[in-house]
mmCIF file of all heavy atoms in Angstrom:
data_model
loop_
_atom_site.group_PDB
_atom_site.id
_atom_site.type_symbol
_atom_site.label_atom_id
_atom_site.label_comp_id
_atom_site.label_asym_id
_atom_site.label_seq_id
_atom_site.Cartn_x
_atom_site.Cartn_y
_atom_site.Cartn_z
ATOM 1 N N ASN M 86 11.759 -106.974 125.322
ATOM 2 C CA ASN M 86 10.682 -106.534 126.195
ATOM 3 C C ASN M 86 11.245 -105.667 127.286
ATOM 4 O O ASN M 86 11.617 -106.149 128.367
ATOM 5 C CB ASN M 86 9.986 -107.788 126.786
ATOM 6 C CG ASN M 86 8.874 -107.397 127.782
ATOM 7 O OD1 ASN M 86 8.562 -106.223 127.930
ATOM 8 N ND2 ASN M 86 8.341 -108.383 128.449
ATOM 9 N N ALA M 170 28.862 -70.491 123.892
ATOM 10 C CA ALA M 170 29.509 -69.797 125.001
ATOM 11 C C ALA M 170 30.969 -69.471 124.677
ATOM 12 O O ALA M 170 31.485 -68.429 125.091
ATOM 13 C CB ALA M 170 29.428 -70.642 126.282
ATOM 14 N N ASN M 198 28.543 -83.518 115.391
ATOM 15 C CA ASN M 198 28.246 -83.327 113.981
ATOM 16 C C ASN M 198 27.032 -82.410 113.791
ATOM 17 O O ASN M 198 27.026 -81.492 112.956
ATOM 18 C CB ASN M 198 27.965 -84.651 113.289
ATOM 19 C CG ASN M 198 29.212 -85.508 113.207
ATOM 20 O OD1 ASN M 198 30.323 -85.036 113.409
ATOM 21 N ND2 ASN M 198 29.035 -86.809 112.930
ATOM 22 N N ILE M 258 39.298 -83.326 136.526
ATOM 23 C CA ILE M 258 38.958 -82.723 135.226
ATOM 24 C C ILE M 258 38.392 -81.313 135.448
ATOM 25 O O ILE M 258 38.708 -80.388 134.715
ATOM 26 C CB ILE M 258 37.964 -83.630 134.442
ATOM 27 C CG1 ILE M 258 38.645 -84.926 134.088
ATOM 28 C CG2 ILE M 258 37.490 -82.922 133.172
ATOM 29 C CD1 ILE M 258 37.750 -85.981 133.462
ATOM 30 N N GLN M 393 31.953 -115.062 138.934
ATOM 31 C CA GLN M 393 33.323 -115.610 139.059
ATOM 32 C C GLN M 393 33.291 -117.067 139.563
ATOM 33 O O GLN M 393 34.092 -117.889 139.150
ATOM 34 C CB GLN M 393 34.148 -114.715 139.956
ATOM 35 C CG GLN M 393 34.401 -113.331 139.353
ATOM 36 C CD GLN M 393 35.220 -112.434 140.242
ATOM 37 O OE1 GLN M 393 36.445 -112.599 140.396
ATOM 38 N NE2 GLN M 393 34.578 -111.469 140.875
ATOM 39 N N MET M 408 28.505 -103.877 134.407
ATOM 40 C CA MET M 408 29.817 -104.528 134.509
ATOM 41 C C MET M 408 30.069 -105.447 133.314
ATOM 42 O O MET M 408 29.160 -105.850 132.588
ATOM 43 C CB MET M 408 29.918 -105.301 135.810
ATOM 44 C CG MET M 408 28.855 -106.353 136.003
ATOM 45 S SD MET M 408 29.274 -107.559 137.259
ATOM 46 C CE MET M 408 30.328 -108.656 136.329
#
Side-chain angles (χ1 to χ4, degrees):
N86 176 7
N198 293 345
I258 295 173
Q393 293 179 74
M408 57 162 279

